[in-house]
Amino acid sequence: MARANHGEATRKKIILTALDLYARHGLDGVSLRTISAESGTRNSAAAHYHFGSRLGLLEAVITFITDHTRPQFESGFRGVEEAPAPTLRDVVRAVTTPYLSLTLAPDWGPSALRFMAHLHADNTPDIVELLNTHFRPDVERIEAQLCRALPTIPRDVLRIRLAFTFVSLIHGAAEIDMLSHTPFGNIRPDDLTLFNYFLDFIEGGLAAPPASE
């Protein structure tokens, strides 16, 4: 039992180290050997031993993040799915809250957002497949509820807008501290106000009347 606990502790240490390094240097800027060394393990090949490959470690990092965000997503989104007539605000809030909450906690939350931003910017086939495996079922659920809330928006238009939403959500949350250093100076309000402004922005983009041909 002690050996198993030690192994789990080592795995978590490697995952947290990888999360921090990938967030700061990008997916291609860090080797498994560097992650092993920075995690403080004695074995320079520890990351390879525990996760098999770079892709295996990336998947473990994604799982680590989603294990934290999924309970909040499920709680909020089940309420939307069970509602007779969910509003667009309800859908947007349920989708965005788990990600925006990472800006505040836990202590690795901001790194998780920057890691996800790097991940979504990578268009290599392995990463695309990894993202689809982990997130496509959720995206399909979100799309279904947006169609209920916005029945007049054509599905093809809604899908494009949903893709824009994810870009804005993931990259915007990852770089949220930039609001303290804009050409206008520090324009970052308190967290609750900022959260509501972001909901306004996403809601407006999703619900805008489609441009005429």
Side-chain angles (χ1 to χ4, degrees):
M1 181 65 71
R3 187 183 186 89
N5 290 340
H6 177 72
E8 284 303 309
T10 300
R11 282 175 59 88
K12 184 174 181 180
K13 186 180 296 184
I14 292 171
I15 287 171
L16 286 171
T17 301
L19 178 57
D20 176 63
L21 292 176
Y22 284 140
R24 288 192 282 129
H25 303 294
L27 304 189
D28 295 323
V30 189
S31 68
L32 291 183
R33 184 173 292 274
T34 297
I35 292 169
S36 297
E38 291 291 322
S39 69
T41 58
R42 297 178 182 176
N43 183 355
S44 62
H48 186 274
Y49 172 80
H50 284 280
F51 302 100
S53 66
R54 169 180 175 270
L55 197 63
L57 178 54
L58 288 172
E59 182 160 23
V61 174
I62 294 171
T63 300
F64 178 78
I65 295 169
T66 55
D67 281 350
H68 176 81
T69 58
R70 178 149 300 280
Q72 191 174 25
F73 173 81
E74 287 294 338
S75 174
F77 214 74
R78 274 199 304 269
V80 169
E81 290 172 324
E82 294 169 0
T87 66
L88 177 57
R89 190 75 164 198
D90 292 336
V91 180
V92 171
R93 182 181 288 107
V95 171
T96 59
T97 296
Y99 284 96
L100 294 178
S101 295
L102 287 173
T103 64
L104 305 175
D107 56 359
W108 48 261
S111 291
L113 289 166
R114 289 191 292 273
F115 165 78
M116 294 298 291
H118 286 302
L119 195 70
H120 282 265
D122 192 312
N123 291 318
T124 57
D126 285 345
I127 298 299
V128 171
E129 183 178 355
L130 193 60
L131 287 169
N132 284 338
T133 297
H134 280 268
F135 298 107
R136 183 162 185 171
D138 292 337
V139 172
E140 290 174 348
R141 290 172 66 188
I142 294 165
E143 180 193 6
Q145 298 312 307
L146 286 176
C147 287
R148 292 178 66 201
L150 296 169
T152 64
I153 305 294
R155 186 178 288 263
D156 59 334
V157 174
L158 200 55
R159 284 180 171 176
I160 293 172
R161 292 180 178 183
L162 183 55
F164 288 157
T165 295
F166 289 134
V167 171
S168 298
L169 173 59
I170 294 166
H171 289 272
E175 302 298 334
I176 205 164
D177 286 339
M178 290 179 63
L179 292 176
S180 300
H181 308 282
T182 77
F184 306 106
N186 183 354
I187 61 171
R188 179 172 179 169
D190 64 89
D191 293 324
L192 180 58
T193 301
L194 181 60
F195 179 51
N196 284 317
Y197 284 170
F198 188 80
L199 294 186
D200 293 341
F201 171 77
I202 296 299
E203 189 175 355
L206 288 167
S212 57
E213 296 293 337

